[in-house]
Amino acid sequence: MGIDQVRIDIFITKGDPDAIAINENSISSGMGYRSHFEFMPKIWAQGHVEKWFKKYEGPGKDLPVYQLSYPDKTCPNQGLISSEPPYA
């Protein structure tokens, strides 16, 4: 996808697999941000412009996001998913 996150709302109906529907796909929440709205795109863009992100250099680094797989150990969050939470 080439983005840092996406939210997709999918509606399903028990017993009716043909009734599946995508309600919304968005790169942000549908929440009303009011006075913050002007600044949100600036802070989001700033992280990309100033390269605050880290590139994933693991076994699936050359795979598209939809091919990353936890069982195949190509998932960037493998360590976070499989380790005990700090509050356990």
Side-chain angles (χ1 to χ4, degrees), residues 2-5 27 39-49 52:
I3 59 174
D4 49 355
Q5 70 177 18
I27 61 169
F39 305 101
M40 289 178 61
K42 292 177 184 176
I43 193 70
W44 176 78
Q46 185 177 5
H48 293 279
V49 171
W52 294 348

Side-chain angles (χ1 to χ4, degrees), residues 2-85:
I3 59 174
D4 49 355
Q5 70 177 18
V6 65
R7 177 184 136 198
I8 302 174
D9 296 344
I10 302 173
F11 293 160
I12 58 173
T13 304
K14 186 175 182 178
D16 190 0
D18 293 330
I20 194 166
I22 294 177
N23 175 51
E24 178 181 349
N25 58 348
S26 175
I27 61 169
S28 71
S29 167
M31 184 176 155
Y33 295 106
R34 295 182 172 66
S35 59
H36 301 290
F37 197 78
E38 175 186 350
F39 305 101
M40 289 178 61
K42 292 177 184 176
I43 193 70
W44 176 78
Q46 185 177 5
H48 293 279
V49 171
E50 296 182 11
K51 300 192 184 312
W52 294 348
F53 57 86
K54 294 180 183 176
K55 291 183 179 179
Y56 175 60
E57 295 296 335
K61 69 178 183 176
D62 297 322
L63 293 175
V65 68
Y66 56 84
Q67 288 184 348
L68 294 176
S69 167
Y70 177 79
D72 293 340
K73 300 190 181 349
T74 58
C75 178
N77 296 344
Q78 181 83 26
L80 296 173
I81 295 169
S82 58
S83 64
E84 289 293 321

